[in-house]
Amino acid sequence: MTKIDIISGFLGAGKTTLIQKLLDGAYPGEQLVLIENEFGEISIDGGFLKGSGVQISEMSSGCICCSLVGDFTQALKDVQAKFHPDRILIEPSGVGKLSDVVAAVENTAAQVPELKLNCFVTVVDATKVRAYLKNFGEFYEDQVKTAGAILLSRTGGLAQEKLDRAVALLRELNPKAPILTTPWKELDGPTILSAMEQSASLEEELLAELRARKAEEHGCEHHHHEHDHEHGCCHDHSHACGHDHEHHHDHEHEHHHHHDHGHECGDPNCTCHHHDHEGHHHADEVFTSWGRETAHPFTAGQLEDILTALDTGEYGTVLRAKGILPCADGGWLHFDYVPGEHNVRPGSADFTGRLCVIGAQLDEGNLAGLFGL
């Protein structure tokens, strides 16, 4: 199977710099082919990247999204047949529409089962978002709206207010895609690749922990209750019921999910409830999660105070919290929380600040206020 990654971006956004960063460590042991589509007669980047040992197929004098769709499809087929690579990187013309490139790849993949569209991202110059939206709306907006992830370049040294404004503009066009706000020099290739591929969110990670914990508990209980399919045992946390799975997004990329298990429970301390056909509910059917992506920095002291406050019960029954946030004093802070215990420590950079809180009957408005978001 050959993965196809599309790295789009407007002229001068930094696509080639990003690709070089990825080649320096994001694809260990993989055979790669880079397909460039230059707008104009002469390809400048090809010679620069040939030194990385990557096979390059340059297509000049046109644009993938228009005159070269047919040739592009054949180029993908030829590359697959000749090299059988693990991954194909496609760098479309800066003035191309990402939606058309994605469609061309999907059409080709439908004809060649060995090809798979893996991710499609857009590189955005954080200093030029407003100007480019105004002057190049049709192409620029398409690249932003279509992107599965948005990778901001030139964020180093950019004033926080300007960065927040750029993120807000992008979020209006694309409410779902992860937005990488961390300066690239602070990130390694694998971390950037994880943002591109939209790796497991903090929410998914924490819910997996809770599912594993409850499965272990239920494994023990099953020996005692294997004939009882009316009621499960009760645990010491309350829960939120009756909400459909939903997403909310603002310019800080808020996401909070309500996991519906289909009934009200009379016991406010019960989290097992009535059993389903297999005897138990998953943790993600019981708990509520709230989280944010944010570029705002925190101090270690602020996070200590915030995590201590989670124990007060004023924000709901918090079972787990985790985050990776930029530090106001430089670097990054990682934190973990379980009831009565938390940890704040220096750690590696992430593609943007992220945090997630999981629990029951969470007061999401107060949580947002507590974190100042």
Side-chain angles (χ1 to χ4, degrees):
M1 180 64 68
T2 298
K3 296 179 180 179
I4 298 177
D5 295 347
I6 305 171
I7 300 175
S8 71
F10 210 68
L11 295 168
K15 298 188 299 296
T16 302
T17 301
L18 174 68
I19 291 172
Q20 188 65 59
K21 181 92 173 179
L22 293 170
L23 295 178
D24 286 341
Y27 310 116
E30 292 190 22
Q31 182 182 9
L32 302 174
V33 170
L34 172 64
I35 295 180
E36 292 183 314
N37 172 220
E38 290 296 328
F39 186 82
E41 294 298 328
I42 302 174
S43 171
I44 299 172
D45 296 332
F48 171 64
L49 289 167
K50 281 192 174 90
S52 300
V54 176
Q55 301 287 345
I56 298 180
S57 174
E58 296 174 6
M59 298 180 296
S60 297
S61 303
C63 174
I64 284 176
C65 66
C66 47
S67 62
L68 284 185
V69 169
D71 292 343
F72 174 65
T73 297
Q74 189 58 50
L76 276 182
K77 292 180 178 179
D78 292 345
V79 164
Q80 169 63 25
K82 182 176 181 180
F83 299 111
H84 301 288
D86 298 300
R87 192 182 303 256
I88 297 173
L89 303 181
I90 297 175
E91 182 186 356
S93 164
V95 294
K97 288 187 176 180
L98 177 57
S99 61
D100 289 338
V101 182
V102 169
V105 171
E106 288 181 328
N107 290 337
T108 307
Q111 302 173 39
V112 184
E114 293 79 12
L115 296 175
K116 175 187 177 183
L117 178 58
N118 181 53
C119 65
F120 38 98
V121 305
T122 294
V123 180
V124 171
D125 185 334
T127 68
K128 294 182 171 62
V129 175
R130 184 181 296 276
Y132 282 4
L133 280 174
K134 180 179 179 180
N135 296 313
F136 308 105
E138 179 183 359
F139 298 99
Y140 193 77
E141 287 188 17
D142 181 88
Q143 291 181 4
V144 172
K145 288 179 178 179
T146 305
I150 300 169
L151 286 62
L152 290 183
S153 62
R154 301 182 177 90
T155 59
L158 188 64
Q160 187 68 49
E161 180 182 352
K162 292 183 178 180
L163 177 59
D164 291 343
R165 192 180 306 127
V167 171
L169 289 170
L170 296 170
R171 189 56 74 204
E172 288 178 8
L173 294 172
N174 191 327
K176 296 181 179 181
I179 298 180
L180 185 152
T181 57
T182 305
W184 295 358
K185 67 180 181 179
E186 298 179 21
L187 300 174
D188 57 17
T191 301
I192 296 175
L193 182 60
S194 73
M196 292 171 53
E197 295 182 334
Q198 302 179 79
S199 60
S201 67
L202 289 177
E203 181 209 11
E204 292 168 339
E205 180 181 329
L206 298 187
L207 283 171
E209 291 180 12
L210 288 171
R211 281 195 293 268
R213 186 188 312 163
K214 289 186 73 64
E216 184 176 348
E217 293 170 357
H218 290 156
C220 295
E221 293 155 8
H222 185 70
H223 296 294
H224 302 286
H225 302 285
E226 59 184 350
H227 300 297
D228 180 4
H229 294 282
E230 293 300 319
H231 299 279
C233 64
C234 292
H235 299 279
D236 59 355
H237 299 294
S238 60
H239 67 282
C241 302
H243 297 278
D244 291 326
H245 186 84
E246 61 182 59
H247 294 266
H248 296 286
H249 302 277
D250 61 7
H251 60 269
E252 288 287 353
H253 197 188
E254 178 177 359
H255 53 88
H256 42 179
H257 310 298
H258 301 281
H259 303 284
D260 184 6
H261 51 281
H263 70 280
E264 291 288 343
C265 176
D267 185 344
N269 294 315
C270 180
T271 60
C272 278
H273 319 293
H274 299 279
H275 289 285
D276 58 19
H277 294 298
E278 297 181 354
H280 302 289
H281 287 285
H282 293 296
D284 54 357
E285 294 177 300
V286 176
F287 302 114
T288 302
S289 67
W290 171 88
R292 287 280 182 94
E293 287 183 0
T294 178
H296 284 290
F298 292 76
T299 67
Q302 285 175 323
L303 288 179
E304 291 282 354
D305 291 342
I306 289 170
L307 298 178
T308 298
L310 294 180
D311 282 326
T312 65
E314 297 177 14
Y315 305 93
T317 303
V318 180
L319 303 178
R320 190 78 167 83
K322 186 171 186 176
I324 306 171
L325 297 166
C327 179
D329 301 324
W332 286 72
L333 294 172
H334 293 212
F335 73 80
D336 284 281
Y337 167 94
V338 294
E341 182 181 347
H342 65 260
N343 173 267
V344 179
R345 63 196 182 277
S348 58
D350 203 347
F351 62 83
T352 192
R354 297 187 291 163
L355 61 96
C356 182
V357 177
I358 289 181
Q361 297 178 334
L362 297 180
D363 188 330
E364 294 162 351
N366 275 343
L367 281 171
L370 177 65
F371 281 93
L373 300 175

